[in-house]
């Protein structure tokens, strides 16, 4: 029972870190541009399809897919940011409708290009085995993914808290007008944030393809869970996104094992509890 619970928790950690990689891009875009990007899941699915196209059963294919995915994700994110800039001051409803339309168009293009069936992607041969943990065989690729995603989270944390760009980024998120008044080129920061957000989403798709492969509807699933991560973690907070992503990953996996019929509602209960607590905290602060 204990080993089974630990293995399930590892699965939850892997899924949570996958959500973290995608949600970090989403929260970065929202924090810097105040842009609600409902096409973010399409970028994840695009990365998964890129992994499918370049998958050759070896590490070189994965490396090429990752390189191509980062370039395409950065270009797509930057282009999307430029296209949606006129909506920056028109409220989240206009942004949601515009990006939702883009997501529908992307979903239709993916179905036309790759068909409507799920496309299984095997990990590279070198990582396609298993490692014994307490007499339980655990997939090697899943462990490697956890390590890579954890390193990526650490790199993002250090870049935001220790680098000059991180200081500029945090200043733009906190008060864009004040940052502009001090000489910060906020438009450039926004473009970089959109590019980085797109690259993170596609990176999640490429690396996560063997875990959550390309299929119609995956974009919506990843988008909804990533939005929940952003709401729980707080818009613009990478540390909050990390904690929230791990929490969502555990609820989605451990919850299914413990209470399969009520697990889908457990996440909504957590979301409601966080929003209620945050609302009361803000009320006390403003009182």
């Amino acid at each position: 029972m204990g080993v089974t619970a630990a293995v399930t928790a590892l699965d939850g950690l892997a899924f949570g870190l996958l959500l973290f990689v995608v949600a970090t891009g989403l929260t970065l875009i929202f924090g810097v541009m105040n842009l609600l990007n409902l096409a973010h899941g399409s970028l994840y699915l695009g990365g998964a399809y890129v992994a499918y196209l370049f998958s050759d059963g070896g590490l070189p294919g994965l490396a090429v897919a990752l390189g191509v995915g980062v370039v395409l994700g950065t270009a797509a994110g930057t282009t999307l940011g430029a296209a949606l800039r006129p909506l920056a001051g028109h409220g989240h409803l206009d942004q949601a409708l515009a990006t939702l339309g883009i997501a529908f168009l992307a979903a239709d293009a993916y179905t036309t290009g790759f068909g409507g069936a799920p496309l299984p992607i095997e990990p590279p041969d070198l990582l396609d085995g298993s490692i014994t943990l307490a007499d339980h065989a655990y997939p090697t690729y899943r462990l490697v993914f956890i390590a890579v995603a954890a390193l990526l989270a650490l790199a993002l944390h250090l870049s935001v808290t220790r680098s000059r760009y991180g200081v500029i980024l945090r200043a733009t998120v906190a008060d864009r007008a004040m940052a502009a008044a001090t000489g910060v080129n906020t438009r450039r920061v926004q473009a970089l944030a959109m590019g980085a957000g797109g690259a993170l989403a596609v990176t999640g798709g490429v690396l996560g393809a063997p875990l959550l492969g390309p299929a119609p509807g995956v974009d919506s699933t990843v988008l909804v869970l990533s939005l929940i991560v952003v709401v729980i973690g707080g818009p613009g907070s990478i540390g909050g996104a990390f904690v929230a992503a791990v929490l969502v990953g555990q609820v989605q996996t451990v919850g299914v094992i413990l209470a399969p019929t009520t697990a889908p509602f457990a996440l909504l209960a957590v979301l409601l509890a966080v929003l209620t607590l945050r609302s009361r905290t803000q009320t006390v602060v403003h009182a």
Side-chain angles (χ1 to χ4, degrees):
M1 181 64 182
V3 174
T4 303
V7 169
T8 304
L10 268 181
D11 287 340
L13 180 61
F15 187 55
L17 288 176
L18 172 62
L19 292 177
F20 167 75
V21 175
V22 181
T24 299
L26 194 61
T27 196
L28 193 62
I29 292 169
F30 190 88
V32 175
M33 291 195 66
N34 193 25
L35 174 65
L36 184 60
N37 179 19
L38 298 187
H40 201 65
S42 302
L43 295 175
Y44 170 87
L45 188 52
Y49 280 122
V50 168
Y52 170 76
L53 289 175
F54 289 94
S55 176
D56 62 356
L59 287 176
L62 179 62
V64 172
L66 191 57
V68 172
V70 168
V71 172
L72 291 179
T74 303
T78 306
T79 302
L80 191 62
L84 296 176
R85 190 181 300 278
L87 297 179
H90 290 252
H92 291 153
L93 180 58
D94 288 355
Q95 298 168 5
L97 290 174
T99 53
L100 192 60
I102 294 172
F104 284 153
L105 291 174
D108 185 63
Y110 290 146
T111 303
T112 301
F114 297 97
L119 299 174
I121 300 178
E122 297 297 328
D125 292 338
L126 190 62
L127 306 176
D128 196 19
S130 61
I131 294 176
T132 301
L133 298 174
D135 297 328
H136 186 94
Y138 196 80
T140 304
Y141 184 82
R142 202 172 286 259
L143 287 174
V144 172
F145 177 84
I146 291 173
V148 171
L151 288 174
L152 181 59
L154 179 62
L156 286 171
H157 172 72
L158 293 177
S159 64
V160 169
T161 58
R162 303 292 177 86
S163 70
R164 181 175 178 274
Y165 175 72
V167 173
I168 294 173
L169 183 68
R170 284 185 281 130
T172 305
V173 171
D175 192 329
R176 191 185 317 159
M178 182 62 73
T182 59
V184 173
N185 187 336
T186 55
R187 282 205 166 198
R188 182 179 299 172
V189 175
Q190 289 175 337
L192 289 172
M194 286 297 301
L200 284 168
V202 176
T203 297
V206 172
L207 296 179
L211 308 179
L212 190 60
V218 168
D219 49 348
S220 300
T221 301
V222 170
L223 173 66
V224 170
L225 292 176
S226 298
L227 283 172
I228 291 175
V229 168
V230 171
V231 172
I232 293 177
S237 172
I238 291 179
F242 180 83
V243 174
V246 173
L247 174 64
V248 171
Q250 295 299 333
V251 171
Q252 284 293 95
T253 53
V254 178
V256 168
I257 299 297
L258 296 178
T261 56
T262 57
F265 305 102
L267 194 55
L268 296 178
V270 173
L271 179 62
L272 181 61
V274 170
L275 289 176
T276 302
L277 181 63
R278 185 175 296 160
S279 175
R280 289 182 177 177
T281 304
Q282 290 174 345
T283 301
V284 171
V285 170
H286 291 146

